[in-house]
Amino acid sequence: MATSSLSAPCSLWITDSSRPHRKTNHLIAKSAKIHSAINLDAHVGSLETSALSSKVARPHNGVASIVQPSCSIVALGPSEATLGSHLARRLVEIGVGDVFSVPGDFNLSLLDHLLAEPGLNLIGCCNELNAGYAADGYARSRGVGACVVTFTVGGLSVINAIAGAYSENLPLICIVGGPNSNDYGSNRLLHHSIGLPDFTQELRCFQTVTCHQAVVNNLEDAQEQIDTAIFTALKESKPVYISISCNLTSIPHPTFSRKPITFSLSPRLSDQMVLEAAVEAAAEFLNKAVKPVMVAGPNLRIAKACDTFVELADVSGYAHAVMASAKGLVSTEHHAHFIGTYWGTVSTAFCAEIVESADAYLFAGPIFNDLSSVGYSLLIKKEKAIIVQPDRVVIGNGPKFGFVQMNDFLKALAKRLNRNTTAYENYHRIYVPDGRPVKRDPKEPLRVNVLFQHIQNMLSSKTTVIAEAGDIWFNCQKLKLPTGCGYEQQMQYGSIGWSVGATLGYAAGAPNKRVIACIGDGSFQMTAQDVSTMLRCRQNSIIFLINNGGYTTEAEIHDGPYNLIKNWNYTGLVDAIHNGEGKCWTTKVCCEEELAEVIKTANGPKKDCLCFIEVIVHRDDTSKELLPFGGRLAAANSRAPIPR
């Protein structure tokens, strides 16, 4: 993304908030054998520089902070200054305190160096896919994540998770232990390859799902390659790929013995003339409207403009909503003029009516795909819309303004808008409070809407909701998030099973939050293994496993026998994984009375345990929103070919 001018670059490091060093039990014995531990003396500063806030990859809750290196940092001696130690130190400097890994023979030496770094905790996962999902969840809570796998068999396994992180604009460092440097160009065949002497298959696959790739197979430019890759991940807020030859990690090199070279993240600035023209045109467009509205989209995350959106909502008085994929990004759910989730025909009550009847709407950071548009059925007209993306503004059918940063635009626009509360007054006039589920007989089978009513009562500033793909999305959209309550989903990529690894990673990155994960049985069967890693890390998340016997969302789109799955004894499975090691509590509920008691226990005597709650519901018990959604998506998927 181009800029019109750049101020003097600011040197910075990003780090975590002084977390105590931890190591997983299964790695402590191994780490005791490492004698070349690296010390990093640094002091933590607050993230105050406004020029940096638009550039530094960090979560919207502001967990990441800047480190300025102190004068007491000592250059590592020749015996300690290795490629592996440099990479480990770099990860700590950018705020990575936990690295998710799966060992393989090409990355074992590298893992030794990561273990030797006092600021890093190595978390071994059951498979590479979950390691990638965990790094995704960690990046959501801490601003940046990292995973380490082995050559090709590990890389091609983790790539699905990396693609999901790319779609969600998450900075993630994917590190692969690569072949011996002598094997490149040698015409030799290696195991873990596809049987060809060309080792570029993995690299070529990653080129489409990462913003930068580095293959480190010599020491001369290793430091430059690693630093450039990490810098690019932070700059672009996207995953990067780093392959490191397995025989290089322990070899000293002069470039690693120097003091760390701080990253220079120059702020992206708007072209002032273009910005002024865009604000002028937008203000005229909105001020002449009778009932304008605002809608927050998921690209607010990459633009770091979540708070600015809220400030504009405060000043303008506009009714404002969030797209489903942006839930949790803006802290407006208790705002006086918040009207809910805009998702076309499956919006929360009365929201779509207000948005789609407006004579002007400002969408900040939207993504309009077949899912967010409910099969391309949104009743939004281009001529009524101002579309604000991280670096450009489009006003109706008229002008497009490039080189305009979203933060700059929203801040300047707030000074030019006339206050207009008409749309919210219309909403308030037609709004009818949500009804409570009808009270049924005692011991009646539990219904999903009753379950989420109880989950709503569990939420606080000390919780985060992880919503798995599928019908859970619709139920979780109705949750009203208390101030400070986190919320994460993967709506653009929608990879089922993502939530298990993401729960592990998010909880590792935010130990002060209790994660409440809502997962369907079909999704859980994809990635269940890493419940064991949650136990090993002594996490106390609450998992609601919704057992309805199959892929309900797919059944509503297009039903068939393939949507039924083999039922598991899920609590029995988790008990077997627990195996008496760590704190774990499992239970199964079938009615509301049991659910109420279970939640009381999870928040009381078992608050320090990983709580796994299997909820038995009817296969056809879905949210009302899923029914029209499934039909519209089916219609979009089955459109006849256009004659050529």
Side-chain angles (χ1 to χ4, degrees), residues 194-255:
I194 59 172
L196 297 175
D198 177 7
F199 304 149
T200 64
Q201 181 206 16
E202 178 184 80
L203 169 65
R204 286 182 279 117
C205 291
F206 271 95
Q207 285 173 338
T208 61
V209 296
T210 56
C211 69
H212 184 87
Q213 307 81 38
V215 177
V216 181
N217 55 21
N218 71 85
L219 290 174
E220 299 305 316
D221 64 351
Q223 179 252 333
E224 180 183 357
Q225 285 215 65
I226 290 171
D227 287 0
T228 300
I230 293 175
F231 165 82
T232 305
L234 300 180
K235 178 173 177 286
E236 300 299 330
S237 196
K238 294 279 191 183
V240 294
Y241 163 87
I242 303 175
S243 173
I244 298 178
S245 288
C246 59
N247 62 321
L248 300 183
T249 57
S250 300
I251 302 176
H253 192 269
T255 58

Side-chain angles (χ1 to χ4, degrees), residues 406-423:
M406 185 187 293
N407 257 318
D408 295 339
F409 175 80
L410 297 180
K411 287 178 181 178
L413 184 62
K415 299 174 183 178
R416 299 289 303 276
L417 290 186
N418 299 330
R419 188 169 178 82
N420 188 330
T421 61
T422 303

Side-chain angles (χ1 to χ4, degrees), residues 503-555:
T503 296
L504 165 65
Y506 193 101
N512 58 324
K513 295 265 193 178
R514 194 172 194 191
V515 176
I516 299 174
C518 301
I519 308 175
D521 51 346
S523 297
F524 186 73
Q525 288 195 7
M526 294 274 187
T527 50
Q529 305 97 314
D530 271 284
V531 167
S532 65
T533 311
M534 298 178 197
L535 288 168
R536 197 150 37 86
C537 294
R538 300 179 178 87
Q539 294 180 358
N540 69 336
S541 300
I542 300 174
I543 297 175
F544 285 99
L545 187 285
I546 302 172
N547 184 352
N548 58 7
Y551 299 125
T552 302
T553 303
E554 281 81 353

Side-chain angles (χ1 to χ4, degrees), residues 366-393:
I367 294 177
F368 295 112
N369 58 23
D370 56 336
L371 192 66
S372 66
S373 65
V374 196
Y376 312 108
S377 66
L378 298 184
L379 299 179
I380 294 294
K381 296 181 179 180
K382 183 180 178 183
E383 62 267 21
K384 293 183 180 182
I386 294 178
I387 307 297
V388 187
Q389 292 296 2
D391 59 352
R392 67 187 186 278
V393 176

Side-chain angles (χ1 to χ4, degrees), residues 258-318:
R258 302 171 188 163
K259 290 183 179 181
I261 302 171
T262 56
F263 297 135
S264 295
L265 297 182
S266 301
R268 292 175 177 171
L269 303 179
S270 300
D271 183 301
Q272 286 302 312
M273 292 182 63
V274 178
L275 173 63
E276 290 171 11
V279 171
E280 177 72 26
E284 181 182 357
F285 186 92
L286 292 169
N287 284 336
K288 70 182 181 182
V290 176
K291 45 184 180 180
V293 298
M294 294 168 50
V295 182
N299 282 338
L300 282 170
R301 187 199 292 268
I302 191 173
K304 310 295 187 293
C306 301
D307 293 340
T308 312
F309 180 90
V310 177
E311 292 167 8
L312 180 60
D314 287 337
V315 171
S316 67
Y318 290 4

